[in-house]
Amino acid sequence: MRRSGGGPEAPRRETPPRGTPRRTALRRLARRLRLRPPAWTATLTWKSAVFITVMCCTLAALLGALVHTAVTRQTVGQAREKALSRLADVTYAYQAGEPLPPGSGIDPAELPDSLRALALKGRQGTAVGRRHGRPTMWAAGPASGPDGPHAVATGVDYGQSARTINGLDGAITGSSVLAIGATLLVGAFAVTRVTRRLHQTAQVARRISAGDLDARVNDPRTSDRSRRPDEVAIVAGALDTMASTLQRKLLAEQRFTADVAHELRTPLTGLSAAAELLPPGRPSELVRERVRTMRTLTEDLLEVSRLDARTEHADLDVQELAPLTEGVVRMSGTVTEVRVVRGAAVETDRRRLERVLGNLISNAHHHGRPPVVVTVEGPVVSVRDHGDGFPAYLLEDGPQRFRTEGRGKGHGLGLTIALGQAEAIGAELVLGNAPDGGAVARLSLPEYVRLDLADAAEEGPDGGGPDGRGDGGPDGPGGGGPDGDGGPRDRGARTRRDTRGDGETGGSRGPGTSAG
């Protein structure tokens, strides 16, 4: 395009958008630097205390102002009547030519200017001023003289009235403070009783959400029908009713699951025995496989029902975690790599721990992709695959029964059982995804620390401490190995063991294995 004059059109300058990165960063910084009130200011007790204080202060100020105004008006009125009455006597004496009484005079120097101007205009009035440094109620009126109009005035002592008003103001202030304090204490006590009951109700709700279905508030106002329940008691009663209903439904479901699994065991046992009598062939193998799948599902359902009922009790004992993990990997029959960063002794139930690790390894192989790596680092065991990772719903809500994703053919109870058994042995199982891909299951167990080793570690290097330098054996100052450093392998070094499902370990080569 060209201009009307024929020349080329000047290029337009593009204005940057308003929301530049710098302004956006400044806004974010301003939001972060914005002061936030403390958390306790959001409590009901604090809000009630502020409300009671504000209302008491407002009421005390209103009542104090009303009392102050009424008393001041009455006191000033009495002093004014007294001063005007005396002004009448002084005016009569002045007109009669008699001497004026003490405290009176014509155009006194301490007379307030406003009152003097009023008297010179021919009107009477009163005003509070000072005479000889003391509060005085002045009264003045017009007086004529040979040299022009004058102001005849008299004063009445106003000190007592001023002291009365000031004393009244102090009494009002002190009584208001005492009343506010007493009301605040009584209100805080009443509100604290309510908030304590609310906290108890919330604590019971949290216990129920954590799985304690026997938790109840048991508010006495809900059980005693002679007392009218308040709002908190109504909420507590509704929570108890909801917990009881939920408990009944869950127990009914648990009984149903257990009964179904238990009733299926007998026919499945007979079906399994009958399947073994079938002639060899592909159909017989399919039947046996389906029977084994049904038996596994039945046993898993029974285990889930026992875990839901919280009737499982762990048989705790001290176990070495690294050898136990290697044994679970060997029994799994899978190609799984085991890395031992640091060995540790844990106090756990061996059978249940093997069940947890076996389910995690099986889940990694069925739903992930190789390589599957099991890492032992102290009392923590992590199982990682290199697949697509756990789905979002599982990370948010936990494993759901009979729901599987991907190419797996399981029935969706493996992770549920692993979480239940981990809770039974006092371990923590955390499911997550690795940053570079793959699912990671991290199992943290309670570590067992031997008292003799802890005491030896506190003795330091001179007493055979944790660095392994002491009189540990005949092979040298290191003790415990020919290299004199506490054993054939340094305690700080990482050891890696590649355990395969065929029972062979790293260090020997064979089909399907690799060196550690």
Side-chain angles (χ1 to χ4, degrees):
M1 295 180 63
R2 294 180 178 272
R3 297 183 182 176
S4 59
E9 183 181 3
R12 297 180 180 178
R13 297 183 59 186
E14 296 183 357
T15 58
R18 293 184 177 180
T20 59
R22 184 176 181 181
R23 293 183 180 178
T24 305
L26 290 177
R27 291 194 191 99
R28 292 178 180 175
L29 181 61
R31 292 194 195 100
R32 292 179 181 177
L33 294 179
R34 187 181 301 170
L35 295 179
R36 294 184 178 180
W40 52 267
T41 57
T43 59
L44 183 60
T45 304
W46 166 255
K47 293 179 180 179
S48 302
V50 171
F51 176 76
I52 292 173
T53 303
V54 171
M55 292 302 298
C56 289
C57 290
T58 303
L59 183 61
L62 181 61
L63 293 178
L66 292 177
V67 173
H68 173 81
T69 302
V71 174
T72 302
R73 184 179 299 173
Q74 181 180 3
T75 304
V76 172
Q78 293 175 356
R80 183 176 296 162
E81 290 178 359
K82 184 177 180 181
L84 290 176
S85 176
R86 187 173 182 181
L87 177 63
D89 297 339
V90 171
T91 302
Y92 178 79
Y94 174 74
Q95 292 176 352
E98 298 177 359
L100 300 181
S104 305
I106 304 298
D107 295 331
E110 296 179 344
L111 184 66
D113 296 337
S114 59
L115 187 59
R116 186 191 306 274
L118 185 65
L120 293 178
K121 292 180 181 179
R123 300 170 61 184
Q124 289 184 350
T126 58
V128 178
R130 304 190 72 83
R131 185 178 63 181
H132 305 303
R134 301 184 60 184
T136 303
M137 175 63 75
W138 288 96
S144 58
D147 53 350
H150 296 277
V152 59
T154 184
V156 178
D157 184 26
Y158 191 70
Q160 183 62 34
S161 300
R163 287 191 293 273
T164 301
I165 295 175
N166 293 334
L168 177 64
D169 292 342
I172 292 175
T173 303
S175 60
S176 299
V177 172
L178 291 178
I180 291 172
T183 306
L184 187 60
L185 290 177
V186 174
F189 174 74
V191 173
T192 303
R193 292 187 62 187
V194 176
T195 55
R196 187 184 301 114
R197 294 168 59 195
L198 289 175
H199 284 306
Q200 181 183 1
T201 304
Q203 184 179 3
V204 171
R206 285 191 290 267
R207 288 172 57 189
I208 294 173
S209 64
D212 186 7
L213 298 181
D214 295 327
R216 298 292 185 272
V217 180
N218 293 327
D219 196 303
R221 293 172 178 80
T222 58
S223 57
D224 189 1
R225 296 186 176 181
S226 62
R227 303 173 62 181
R228 296 182 62 87
D230 54 6
E231 288 78 1
V232 181
I234 293 174
V235 173
L239 179 63
D240 289 346
T241 303
M242 181 197 69
S244 300
T245 304
L246 181 62
Q247 186 179 27
R248 286 195 298 269
K249 290 184 178 180
L250 290 178
L251 291 178
E253 292 180 0
Q254 293 172 8
R255 284 195 298 268
F256 175 76
T257 304
D259 293 342
V260 169
H262 186 271
E263 293 298 329
L264 286 176
R265 294 181 69 181
T266 302
L268 281 176
T269 302
L271 185 60
S272 177
E276 296 297 333
L277 299 177
L278 293 176
R282 181 60 180 168
S284 301
E285 293 179 0
L286 292 177
V287 172
R288 295 189 186 97
E289 181 183 356
R290 295 298 183 268
V291 171
R292 284 194 296 269
T293 303
M294 286 293 297
R295 293 192 63 177
T296 302
L297 176 59
T298 303
E299 297 297 332
D300 288 349
L301 286 175
L302 285 174
E303 187 172 359
V304 168
S305 64
R306 290 193 297 267
L307 291 173
D308 289 341
R310 298 181 181 273
T311 58
E312 296 290 292
H313 299 286
D315 185 12
L316 300 180
D317 196 4
V318 180
Q319 304 289 340
E320 291 293 335
L321 187 56
L324 189 148
T325 305
E326 294 172 352
V328 172
V329 171
R330 284 193 296 269
M331 289 187 298
S332 67
T334 59
V335 180
T336 304
E337 179 184 356
V338 178
R339 298 176 182 175
V340 180
V341 178
R342 178 175 66 88
V346 295
E347 188 175 8
T348 185
D349 188 326
R350 182 184 183 92
R351 180 182 64 84
R352 300 182 189 277
L353 178 57
E354 290 176 348
R355 176 67 161 158
V356 174
L357 294 178
N359 283 12
L360 295 179
I361 295 172
S362 175
N363 183 81
H365 281 282
H366 288 168
H367 300 279
R369 285 191 294 270
V372 176
V373 181
V374 179
T375 304
V376 180
E377 186 173 1
V380 180
V381 182
S382 59
V383 180
R384 178 188 176 182
D385 60 56
H386 291 75
D388 299 330
F390 291 115
Y393 78 87
L394 191 146
L395 297 179
E396 294 176 0
D397 304 326
Q400 300 181 10
R401 300 170 187 178
F402 301 105
R403 180 174 180 178
T404 58
E405 298 287 341
R407 58 185 180 87
K409 297 182 180 180
H411 42 71
L413 295 178
L415 289 180
T416 302
I417 295 175
L419 283 171
Q421 294 290 5
E423 183 180 358
I425 61 178
E428 181 184 9
L429 179 58
V430 180
L431 305 178
N433 292 327
D436 53 346
V440 179
R442 184 181 178 88
L443 181 66
S444 301
L445 296 159
E447 185 173 6
Y448 178 80
V449 180
R450 295 185 177 87
L451 296 180
D452 52 351
L453 294 181
D455 296 339
E458 293 178 357
E459 290 178 1
D462 294 336
D467 57 352
R469 301 180 185 274
D471 295 334
D475 292 332
D483 55 355
D485 276 334
R489 184 182 292 111
D490 187 8
R491 290 180 180 267
R494 293 188 175 185
T495 63
R496 174 175 173 177
R497 305 176 186 177
D498 192 3
T499 304
R500 305 298 181 179
D502 53 1
E504 297 181 5
T505 59
S508 62
R509 297 181 182 268
T513 63
S514 61

